[in-house]
Amino acid sequence: MNIKIDDLNWKILERLQKNARESFADIGRKVGLSPPAVAERVKKMEDAGILEGYKAVVSHSRSGYQLKAIITLRAFMGKLKPFLAMVGSLNEVVNCYRITGNENIVMEVVLKDQFHLEKFIDKLIQYGETRTHIVLSQVVSYAPLEKISF
C-alpha cells in the first residue's frame, strides 16, 4: 500500500517521533484533527510500513553496559555470509549495517567493560579484520525525520 505523506502526516510523524506514547487526542489538538482521524492516519502509515514500530529506549550505561563501541569488520574471503547468519545472535550488537567501502560491516555494540570487549573481538576475528572505536559521547541521538523540501 502506497500512501502520500502529506503535511498532516508529517506533523503526526513529528509528534510520534518525539513521544510515541502521546495520545491521539493530544496529537489531534496539536495538528488540528480529531482523535479518530489521527488514529486512522497512524493506522494507514503503519499498514504502509512508514511507521515500523514503537519501542522503549534503554540506557546502556544505566543498565550495566559501561562501554559503547563502533566496530567495523572487513570479512575474510568466504566469511561474510557465515558472519551475516551469526551476527543476529550476538547480544552485544545494538545495530549492524552492511556497508560499501573497505569494510563490509559496521556494528554498534554495548559491553560491560574492556574485558568483555576483548572476548567479543575474539569472537569476531575468525570472520575478518576488526577495527574498534570507543564511543565517548553521543552527539546526536534518534534525530527525527522531517519533511524535506526540494
Side-chain angles (χ1 to χ4, degrees):
M1 168 195 280
N2 269 341
I3 69 164
K4 183 176 183 252
I5 306 178
D6 62 16
D7 288 339
L8 279 173
N9 283 351
W10 273 114
K11 288 177 183 177
I12 292 167
L13 289 172
E14 287 170 9
R15 300 300 320 159
L16 289 172
Q17 288 178 95
K18 288 179 182 172
N19 178 6
R21 297 181 71 178
E22 186 172 7
S23 72
F24 292 154
D26 286 342
I27 293 171
R29 278 191 287 280
K30 291 172 183 156
V31 302
L33 291 173
S34 69
V38 172
E40 182 180 337
R41 284 174 173 262
V42 168
K43 176 74 172 121
K44 285 182 180 179
M45 288 190 282
E46 289 171 345
D47 291 345
I50 295 166
L51 276 168
E52 295 180 342
Y54 307 88
K55 62 182 173 262
V57 179
V58 178
S59 167
H60 73 278
S61 61
R62 291 185 180 162
S63 58
Y65 297 95
Q66 297 306 309
L67 286 179
K68 184 182 265 191
I70 305 298
I71 299 178
T72 60
L73 177 87
R74 183 176 184 195
F76 296 140
M77 185 70 72
K79 293 290 187 171
L80 182 59
K81 285 188 180 182
F83 174 82
L84 294 172
M86 175 279 305
V87 70
S89 68
L90 298 174
N91 295 332
E92 296 89 348
V93 177
V94 177
N95 289 299
C96 182
Y97 305 96
R98 188 169 174 188
I99 60 168
T100 61
N102 290 330
E103 286 87 10
N104 307 95
I105 300 293
V106 172
M107 292 173 280
E108 180 182 352
V109 300
V110 292
L111 306 135
K112 293 179 190 248
D113 53 32
Q114 72 271 22
F115 304 109
H116 188 180
L117 173 61
E118 182 179 17
K119 288 178 184 175
F120 183 74
I121 291 172
D122 287 346
K123 290 181 194 176
L124 298 179
I125 58 176
Q126 64 181 308
Y127 296 99
E129 288 179 36
T130 64
R131 201 177 283 180
T132 302
H133 309 273
I134 302 297
V135 174
L136 299 176
S137 64
Q138 197 159 1
V139 179
V140 175
S141 170
Y142 303 104
L145 291 177
E146 295 181 7
K147 181 179 179 181
I148 299 173
S149 300
F150 292 97

